[in-house]
Amino acid sequence: MYKLVNILLLLFYFGLMPAQHTTPLWKKNAIPNFQKSKGKETIPPRDIIFIKNIQQPGIEAFLPSKQSANGMAVLICPGGGYSGVSYDWEGTDVAKWLNSKGIAAFVLKYRMPQAESVLTSYKAPIQDAQRAIRYIRYHAQEFNLDKNKIGVIGFSAGGHLASTLGTHYKKAYYNAKDDIDKEKIRPDFMMLIYPVISMKKGITHYGSRKNLLGETPSEELITAFSNELQVTENTPPTFILHAGDDPAVPIENSIKMYQALVKNKVKTTMHIYPTGGHGFGLGISRKDAPDWANLATTWLNTLNNHLLESK
């Protein structure tokens, strides 16, 4: 009886806690590249919140206090091999860290390419990411942001999505719906953490490529979404982090992206650690993983000063 009372009290307590609110990116009948299906969003039992088969893409806002805010914002693209979204591990946990540095954060719940509700696989994630950064810019005043200091961070396959956002900004992957879509798509900076970058054989993470482009993609699609090939001098400043012993996403992804950025004279910082494996999030979960948050904080502070000077 005592245990039952305690459980009921805990349930009551957590029921009173304010829930975070995920804002839909599109009106229900206006989602591009979408068809009705029997698909339902699921969260399999795991030690992290891993959301599969997302039907309604959205963003969850995490805002620092006005006294702490520095005007910067980051759209967070969690990883998951384009099969799901590691929502807390590479999403909300990262948002809380950014908030502690005075930076607003928005966690993206993006559609999976192979969902039965998606018509053209490779378009769905980038459509959601492009809409998300436009949404943030459109509401910049409401969120206490400088709309010229809005970047993106992505982990693993989310790193591929982030790098797609940062290299495919000349093309909108959906038709404009409203005034939100008048905002620019290009992020002001990118942070790519153990990212998938290339779709080329021998470099890519095959599971991410298969989920995004299908079993037998055309050479045209492979080239288009090998983002190291899409870098130009206008690609935004970039922070890259990878472990040399990554067993899932070969380090060549980050190296080739770094080389392309340097070749195009884009301001770039890259950190390669000898150990860490893959999927280490903020790097505080195990001894051999890089504890990289301080390095990223220094980079963000320097970038913020540079963005201020260039205004």
Side-chain angles (χ1 to χ4, degrees):
M1 182 66 180
Y2 179 77
K3 287 184 178 179
L4 177 61
V5 170
N6 279 343
I7 290 170
L8 290 173
L9 284 172
L10 282 170
L11 290 172
F12 177 74
Y13 172 74
F14 285 113
L16 292 176
M17 291 178 69
Q20 290 290 339
H21 176 64
T22 302
T23 302
L25 289 172
W26 321 87
K27 293 179 180 178
K28 195 165 185 180
N29 296 323
I31 302 172
N33 189 30
F34 180 86
Q35 63 184 355
K36 288 185 178 180
S37 74
K38 294 180 180 178
K40 291 184 179 180
E41 183 177 300
T42 61
I43 303 177
R46 292 179 58 172
D47 57 354
I48 62 170
I49 298 173
F50 190 79
I51 309 175
K52 296 180 70 69
N53 205 24
I54 290 163
Q55 300 297 304
Q56 176 67 68
I59 53 173
E60 184 175 350
F62 289 78
L63 304 177
S65 66
K66 285 191 175 181
Q67 291 87 343
S68 299
N70 63 11
M72 298 181 83
V74 176
L75 175 66
I76 303 172
C77 302
Y82 282 127
S83 69
V85 172
S86 300
Y87 195 74
D88 55 349
W89 180 241
E90 295 169 343
T92 58
D93 285 358
V94 178
K96 293 167 189 175
W97 161 66
L98 288 166
N99 281 179
S100 75
K101 307 304 176 185
I103 300 170
F106 300 82
V107 183
L108 178 63
K109 261 180 74 176
Y110 57 94
R111 288 172 290 163
M112 294 303 106
Q114 298 302 323
E116 57 188 19
S117 57
V118 169
L119 294 169
T120 303
S121 64
Y122 64 88
K123 289 183 179 181
I126 187 59
Q127 286 171 331
D128 296 344
Q130 287 185 337
R131 175 71 172 185
I133 200 162
R134 283 172 155 174
Y135 180 92
I136 296 165
R137 283 205 169 96
Y138 184 79
H139 292 281
Q141 186 173 358
E142 174 188 337
F143 292 133
N144 193 33
L145 305 176
D146 183 332
K147 64 166 58 180
N148 296 310
K149 294 183 181 181
I150 298 172
V152 63
I153 186 171
F155 297 77
S156 193
H160 184 267
L161 179 55
S163 66
T164 304
L165 187 64
T167 56
H168 290 233
Y169 55 84
K170 288 185 178 180
K171 174 182 179 180
Y173 278 83
Y174 64 93
N175 294 327
K177 303 285 183 180
D178 49 33
D179 287 345
I180 291 173
D181 294 323
K182 294 178 182 178
E183 300 289 343
K184 71 175 184 178
I185 295 169
R186 178 186 179 274
D188 296 302
F189 56 91
M190 294 191 294
M191 302 177 74
L192 309 176
I193 314 301
Y194 43 85
V196 179
I197 295 293
S198 186
M199 293 287 109
K200 291 188 171 293
K201 285 184 178 180
I203 304 172
T204 192
H205 173 249
Y206 182 71
S208 295
R209 171 177 136 155
K210 178 183 174 184
N211 287 331
L212 182 66
L213 304 182
E215 288 273 10
T216 55
S218 67
E219 283 300 320
E220 182 182 4
L221 266 184
I222 291 169
T223 298
F225 285 90
S226 291
N227 291 331
E228 77 277 15
L229 302 178
Q230 309 309 321
V231 173
T232 70
E233 66 275 8
N234 294 318
T235 300
T238 304
F239 176 95
I240 304 173
L241 184 92
H242 217 124
D245 65 348
D246 191 324
V249 178
I251 195 171
E252 284 78 10
N253 283 270
S254 286
I255 291 172
K256 287 190 176 294
M257 187 64 170
Y258 177 77
Q259 290 173 330
L261 290 161
V262 170
K263 181 179 179 181
N264 284 276
K265 296 181 171 54
V266 177
K267 290 188 177 181
T268 309
T269 295
M270 182 168 70
H271 296 279
I272 298 175
Y273 289 81
T275 62
H278 188 74
F280 46 77
L282 284 168
I284 57 178
S285 62
R286 51 182 184 262
K287 290 181 181 178
D288 65 342
D291 184 2
W292 54 271
N294 288 335
L295 288 170
T297 299
T298 300
W299 184 82
L300 284 164
N301 288 338
T302 302
L303 178 71
N304 191 24
N305 292 333
H306 171 73
L307 292 172
L308 278 172
E309 292 168 1
S310 62
K311 288 183 71 173

